[in-house]
Amino acid sequence: MQGAVTPPSARSRSSVSTQERSSTVGHTSSTIPQPSKPLIALIPPRSKNPSSGTSFHRMRRIIAENAEWSLAIVPLLTELCLQHIVKNFQKNPVLKQLLPEHQQKVLNHLSPDLPLAVTANLIDDENYWHRCCVQRWPVCDVARHGGSWKHMFFERHLENLLKHFIPGTTDPAVILDLVPLCRNYVRRIRVDQFLPPVRLLPPPRPGDQSDSGSEGDAEEPAMDHYQLGDLVAGLRHLEELDLVYGVKDCGMNFEWNLFLFTYRDCHSLAATIKACHTLKIFRLTRSKVDDDKARILIRSLLDHPALEELDLSHNLIGDRGARGAAKLLSHSRLRVLNLANNQVRAPGAQSLAHALAHNTNLISLNLRLNCIEDEGGQALAHALQTNKCLTTLHLGGNELSEPTATLLSQVLAVNTTLTSVNLSCNHIGLDGGKQLLEGMSDNKTLLEFDLRLSDVAQESEYLISQALCANREAARQRALNPSHFMSPNTADGPENSAG
């Protein structure tokens, strides 16, 4: 009968029977072992809302009895083998025997901290060496190392060892043991610090109570630095050597002896660069190289088979050293010579000018911050009237004045190879500026002309800049359309040239 109400006694009996059944089921489940498989979660109380059936099914979940149970697929045997190879790579480096795709997986998981004895001659992958470089140095400019991360790692690693080598304290084997590992990958060495030997105070003599002591009588220890001969001899592809004999960040321990390039250092370095037949660029700057040491070094470079650039800037080289450099121009294939910020005067500049007049290789000469004056400047200008190869000339800060400017204006009118001239920080003057402007009116090849702080009139400087702009535009057009700028003989054809 509809609307009948169930008596309370019936509801209580049904609830009791339900509790008994649940207890019985619970007792049975506790005594009978259950299989270890997922169970269905208990169904929550049915909602009174009939439209909640869809959400009820979405709430059903599978719950695993085993907390470690997972649906992940068992790894392939290949993956397990590759993991084992990576884990034991230091003891048993296996790489070349693997397939290319497996090699890449191993390389991607190898640690950058593996010993170089294991990885140097085995791993050529650039991505691996990229990770090694980035982990070790926060700033990495791979373009300075030929675009190779492996070359960059070994070059910078070797440079760090040289910078922190202490003669008499550091074992030379630390550097020499690296040579077999890096000999094929080091193209350049740039060291801006050479540490001297550690000077130990002598023990006090018994019974010597004098304050003056015997410091004046004690012999000064040798300040010779690390000798590069054995190292460079093992680097078969070395092309650039850039050195500074000094100490960085010495702080309160500053002494002039820390910046001493000794004669033993000089003779050793001269023998080193003479024996390195692959060397193309040699720089020795900020090392207090005087005339005698410069001539020792230059003598070892005479008739060098590969040297193209010599940089001895920021030293103490005078006229005798400049004469040695002039001799080198006649006995080498040197293309770049930098003697900036030295003590070269007019006689040294005249020696260089005499060699320059007959030279056919040098394309860049830098004599800025010397004191060649007009006598030396005029000699160089005369040489440029016959020289047909020099493209860059830097004479800034040399006490030049109007006489030099007058001769240079004549050079600009006939010279067709110079593309850059720097006369900044001189005393060219108003008349000298006008002379240079006249020379520029007939010049079609000069692209850069620095006349800052040379007392040239603003109008002359502006007109010269306009002529330079016209030359640069013409050079750009020649580069874009070389066929339109052929010589008349070639353009007219063989008939006209024969006639």
Side-chain angles (χ1 to χ4, degrees):
M1 181 177 179
Q2 296 182 355
V5 180
T6 304
S9 59
R11 288 199 301 269
S12 61
R13 285 196 299 271
S14 63
S15 63
V16 171
S17 61
T18 302
Q19 293 176 0
E20 291 175 354
R21 287 196 299 271
S22 64
S23 63
T24 304
V25 172
H27 176 71
T28 304
S29 63
S30 63
T31 56
I32 300 175
Q34 299 294 323
S36 59
K37 64 180 183 178
L39 297 178
I40 303 300
L42 295 178
I43 300 174
R46 188 180 297 274
S47 174
K48 294 182 181 180
N49 186 3
S51 63
S52 62
T54 304
S55 61
F56 163 72
H57 288 290
R58 293 179 180 174
M59 294 174 61
R60 293 169 60 90
R61 295 292 185 268
I62 296 177
I63 301 176
E65 286 185 349
N66 186 1
E68 298 180 356
W69 185 83
S70 174
L71 288 175
I73 301 175
V74 177
L76 297 176
L77 182 59
T78 303
E79 297 294 335
L80 295 176
C81 292
L82 294 179
Q83 294 175 10
H84 179 79
I85 291 174
V86 172
K87 184 177 180 181
N88 298 276
F89 196 84
Q90 181 174 347
K91 298 179 181 178
N92 184 24
V94 177
L95 185 64
K96 300 298 183 181
Q97 301 87 336
L98 303 178
L99 296 175
E101 58 270 20
H102 295 164
Q103 290 184 18
Q104 195 59 47
K105 289 184 178 180
V106 171
L107 291 171
N108 291 338
H109 292 85
L110 286 180
S111 171
D113 298 322
L114 289 173
L116 292 179
V118 176
T119 61
N121 296 318
L122 180 62
I123 299 178
D124 295 324
D125 182 67
E126 284 291 294
N127 292 328
Y128 173 79
W129 295 108
H130 175 237
R131 290 194 289 120
C132 294
C133 292
V134 171
Q135 175 181 284
R136 185 166 179 181
W137 299 291
V139 179
C140 297
D141 187 4
V142 70
R144 301 181 64 185
H145 302 265
S148 172
W149 290 101
K150 188 172 186 178
H151 290 179
M152 175 181 177
F153 179 86
F154 280 102
E155 288 171 357
R156 294 192 65 173
H157 178 63
L158 180 59
E159 291 167 3
N160 287 337
L161 293 179
L162 292 173
K163 289 178 184 178
H164 298 94
F165 185 92
I166 303 177
T169 302
T170 307
D171 186 3
V174 173
I175 294 178
L176 297 181
D177 290 346
L178 185 63
V179 173
L181 305 179
C182 68
R183 63 175 60 184
N184 295 326
Y185 315 113
V186 175
R187 301 290 191 274
R188 52 175 289 280
I189 296 178
R190 294 181 180 177
V191 184
D192 57 0
Q193 168 179 278
F194 278 96
L195 296 178
V198 176
R199 180 167 57 184
L200 300 177
L201 296 177
R205 297 179 182 179
D208 187 2
Q209 303 296 331
S210 174
D211 292 338
S212 61
S214 57
E215 295 179 1
D217 300 334
E219 184 178 356
E220 287 290 329
M223 299 301 291
D224 303 321
H225 303 84
Y226 178 74
Q227 310 299 316
L228 296 170
D230 295 336
L231 172 62
V232 173
L235 302 177
R236 60 183 67 172
H237 301 295
L238 185 65
E239 297 180 354
E240 180 179 346
L241 195 59
D242 189 345
L243 308 176
V244 176
Y245 281 80
V247 178
K248 300 178 66 176
D249 303 324
C250 55
M252 298 299 294
N253 298 319
F254 171 83
E255 294 182 8
W256 284 115
N257 286 337
L258 299 178
F259 303 86
L260 182 62
F261 179 56
T262 66
Y263 276 97
R264 183 180 176 187
D265 292 335
C266 184
H267 284 285
S268 175
L269 183 59
T272 299
I273 58 180
K274 182 177 182 179
C276 185
H277 294 163
T278 59
L279 189 66
K280 295 182 179 180
I281 301 174
F282 176 59
R283 298 189 182 99
L284 180 61
T285 61
R286 294 176 287 151
S287 299
K288 293 187 175 181
V289 179
D290 56 17
D291 282 336
D292 293 332
K293 295 173 184 175
R295 292 177 69 87
I296 293 173
L297 294 171
I298 292 173
R299 191 181 306 121
S300 67
L301 293 174
L302 295 176
D303 299 316
H304 194 282
L307 188 69
E308 296 180 357
E309 179 178 344
L310 176 62
D311 186 352
L312 297 176
S313 59
H314 308 287
N315 283 298
L316 304 175
I317 300 174
D319 293 331
R320 293 179 58 243
R323 284 196 294 269
K327 185 178 181 180
L328 180 63
L329 291 179
S330 304
H331 292 81
S332 69
R333 297 186 299 176
L334 202 66
R335 296 175 61 83
V336 178
L337 177 60
N338 189 347
L339 296 177
N341 193 19
N342 277 283
Q343 299 175 359
V344 180
R345 296 185 177 274
Q350 290 172 341
S351 299
L352 291 171
H354 179 74
L356 189 63
H358 308 284
N359 186 271
T360 58
N361 296 310
L362 194 71
I363 62 174
S364 176
L365 177 62
N366 191 337
L367 291 176
R368 70 183 181 92
L369 297 178
N370 283 280
C371 192
I372 66 173
E373 298 180 320
D374 285 323
E375 189 176 355
Q378 289 175 323
L380 290 171
H382 281 297
L384 291 176
Q385 291 178 343
T386 58
N387 181 275
K388 302 300 180 183
C389 61
L390 194 71
T391 62
T392 302
L393 178 64
H394 199 324
L395 297 178
N398 271 281
E399 300 295 329
L400 304 177
S401 60
E402 183 182 345
T404 301
T406 302
L407 277 180
L408 279 178
S409 67
Q410 301 175 10
V411 171
L412 295 177
V414 298
N415 187 282
T416 58
T417 57
L418 279 173
T419 59
S420 176
V421 175
N422 192 316
L423 296 179
S424 61
C425 302
N426 283 294
H427 307 292
I428 303 300
L430 301 179
D431 294 335
K434 294 178 181 179
Q435 295 285 340
L436 293 175
L437 178 59
E438 291 181 7
M440 282 299 303
S441 62
D442 297 325
N443 185 283
K444 305 300 179 184
T445 57
L446 194 65
L447 306 179
E448 298 177 1
F449 200 178
D450 194 343
L451 291 171
R452 293 174 296 171
L453 302 178
S454 56
D455 302 330
V456 175
Q458 186 175 1
E459 180 181 0
S460 299
E461 193 169 355
Y462 173 77
L463 294 176
I464 290 176
S465 66
Q466 292 298 309
L468 293 174
C469 289
N471 290 350
R472 285 193 288 266
E473 178 61 23
R476 189 180 70 87
Q477 294 295 334
R478 285 194 298 269
L480 293 176
N481 303 305
S483 60
H484 293 282
F485 296 90
M486 300 173 62
S487 62
N489 291 340
T490 307
D492 293 342
E495 296 84 357
N496 294 340
S497 61

